[in-house]
PDB file of all heavy atoms in Angstrom:
ATOM      1  N   ASN P 768      18.681   0.867  -3.165  1.00  0.00           N
ATOM      2  CA  ASN P 768      20.033   1.211  -2.690  1.00  0.00           C
ATOM      3  C   ASN P 768      20.222   2.685  -2.455  1.00  0.00           C
ATOM      4  O   ASN P 768      20.953   3.091  -1.549  1.00  0.00           O
ATOM      5  CB  ASN P 768      21.105   0.690  -3.678  1.00  0.00           C
ATOM      6  CG  ASN P 768      20.984   1.244  -5.083  1.00  0.00           C
ATOM      7  OD1 ASN P 768      19.917   1.713  -5.494  1.00  0.00           O
ATOM      8  ND2 ASN P 768      22.103   1.190  -5.795  1.00  0.00           N
ATOM      9  N   THR P 769      19.540   3.529  -3.221  1.00  0.00           N
ATOM     10  CA  THR P 769      19.694   4.969  -3.083  1.00  0.00           C
ATOM     11  C   THR P 769      18.609   5.660  -2.247  1.00  0.00           C
ATOM     12  O   THR P 769      18.576   6.863  -2.137  1.00  0.00           O
ATOM     13  CB  THR P 769      19.766   5.640  -4.480  1.00  0.00           C
ATOM     14  OG1 THR P 769      18.612   5.220  -5.182  1.00  0.00           O
ATOM     15  CG2 THR P 769      21.020   5.272  -5.252  1.00  0.00           C
ATOM     16  N   GLY P 770      17.731   4.839  -1.679  1.00  0.00           N
ATOM     17  CA  GLY P 770      16.737   5.345  -0.790  1.00  0.00           C
ATOM     18  C   GLY P 770      15.903   6.466  -1.455  1.00  0.00           C
ATOM     19  O   GLY P 770      15.403   6.310  -2.576  1.00  0.00           O
ATOM     20  N   ASP P 771      15.817   7.584  -0.729  1.00  0.00           N
ATOM     21  CA  ASP P 771      15.017   8.700  -1.221  1.00  0.00           C
ATOM     22  C   ASP P 771      15.755   9.548  -2.243  1.00  0.00           C
ATOM     23  O   ASP P 771      15.175  10.428  -2.888  1.00  0.00           O
ATOM     24  CB  ASP P 771      14.618   9.619  -0.037  1.00  0.00           C
ATOM     25  CG  ASP P 771      15.894  10.242   0.590  1.00  0.00           C
ATOM     26  OD1 ASP P 771      16.996   9.596   0.526  1.00  0.00           O
ATOM     27  OD2 ASP P 771      15.808  11.378   1.068  1.00  0.00           O
ATOM     28  N   ALA P 772      17.045   9.276  -2.417  1.00  0.00           N
ATOM     29  CA  ALA P 772      17.873  10.167  -3.268  1.00  0.00           C
ATOM     30  C   ALA P 772      17.643   9.895  -4.774  1.00  0.00           C
ATOM     31  O   ALA P 772      17.712  10.796  -5.577  1.00  0.00           O
ATOM     32  CB  ALA P 772      19.350  10.013  -2.904  1.00  0.00           C
ATOM     33  N   GLY P 773      17.420   8.640  -5.103  1.00  0.00           N
ATOM     34  CA  GLY P 773      17.254   8.278  -6.475  1.00  0.00           C
ATOM     35  C   GLY P 773      18.524   8.604  -7.296  1.00  0.00           C
ATOM     36  O   GLY P 773      19.614   8.591  -6.750  1.00  0.00           O
ATOM     37  N   GLY P 774      18.340   8.841  -8.626  1.00  0.00           N
ATOM     38  CA  GLY P 774      19.472   9.217  -9.414  1.00  0.00           C
ATOM     39  C   GLY P 774      20.099   8.052 -10.145  1.00  0.00           C
ATOM     40  O   GLY P 774      19.638   6.919 -10.067  1.00  0.00           O
ATOM     41  N   PRO P 775      21.185   8.335 -10.863  1.00  0.00           N
ATOM     42  CA  PRO P 775      21.755   7.340 -11.784  1.00  0.00           C
ATOM     43  C   PRO P 775      22.373   6.112 -11.129  1.00  0.00           C
ATOM     44  O   PRO P 775      22.570   5.098 -11.805  1.00  0.00           O
ATOM     45  CB  PRO P 775      22.856   8.155 -12.511  1.00  0.00           C
ATOM     46  CG  PRO P 775      23.187   9.275 -11.614  1.00  0.00           C
ATOM     47  CD  PRO P 775      21.918   9.605 -10.919  1.00  0.00           C
ATOM     48  N   ARG P 776      22.613   6.126  -9.822  1.00  0.00           N
ATOM     49  CA  ARG P 776      23.193   5.008  -9.166  1.00  0.00           C
ATOM     50  C   ARG P 776      22.161   4.056  -8.587  1.00  0.00           C
ATOM     51  O   ARG P 776      22.462   3.076  -7.918  1.00  0.00           O
ATOM     52  CB  ARG P 776      24.204   5.448  -8.122  1.00  0.00           C
ATOM     53  CG  ARG P 776      25.342   6.266  -8.802  1.00  0.00           C
ATOM     54  CD  ARG P 776      26.459   6.564  -7.931  1.00  0.00           C
ATOM     55  NE  ARG P 776      27.243   5.391  -7.564  1.00  0.00           N
ATOM     56  CZ  ARG P 776      28.406   5.482  -6.913  1.00  0.00           C
ATOM     57  NH1 ARG P 776      28.890   6.677  -6.563  1.00  0.00           N
ATOM     58  NH2 ARG P 776      29.077   4.396  -6.607  1.00  0.00           N
ATOM     59  N   THR P 777      20.888   4.379  -8.796  1.00  0.00           N
ATOM     60  CA  THR P 777      19.822   3.497  -8.334  1.00  0.00           C
ATOM     61  C   THR P 777      19.873   2.202  -9.124  1.00  0.00           C
ATOM     62  O   THR P 777      19.962   2.206 -10.339  1.00  0.00           O
ATOM     63  CB  THR P 777      18.472   4.207  -8.527  1.00  0.00           C
ATOM     64  OG1 THR P 777      18.459   5.440  -7.804  1.00  0.00           O
ATOM     65  CG2 THR P 777      17.348   3.293  -8.020  1.00  0.00           C
ATOM     66  N   LYS P 778      19.809   1.088  -8.374  1.00  0.00           N
ATOM     67  CA  LYS P 778      19.894  -0.202  -9.050  1.00  0.00           C
ATOM     68  C   LYS P 778      19.160  -1.238  -8.167  1.00  0.00           C
ATOM     69  O   LYS P 778      19.461  -1.354  -6.992  1.00  0.00           O
ATOM     70  CB  LYS P 778      21.365  -0.607  -9.221  1.00  0.00           C
ATOM     71  CG  LYS P 778      21.560  -1.785 -10.134  1.00  0.00           C
ATOM     72  CD  LYS P 778      23.024  -1.971 -10.523  1.00  0.00           C
ATOM     73  CE  LYS P 778      23.116  -3.131 -11.494  1.00  0.00           C
ATOM     74  NZ  LYS P 778      24.460  -3.747 -11.505  1.00  0.00           N
ATOM     75  N   ALA P 779      18.260  -1.978  -8.770  1.00  0.00           N
ATOM     76  CA  ALA P 779      17.538  -3.049  -8.003  1.00  0.00           C
ATOM     77  C   ALA P 779      18.530  -4.173  -7.716  1.00  0.00           C
ATOM     78  O   ALA P 779      19.481  -4.411  -8.440  1.00  0.00           O
ATOM     79  CB  ALA P 779      16.399  -3.538  -8.872  1.00  0.00           C
TER      80      ALA P 779
END
Side-chain angles (χ1 to χ4, degrees):
Chain P
N768 61 336
T769 53
D771 65 328
R776 299 189 69 171
T777 302
K778 192 170 182 202

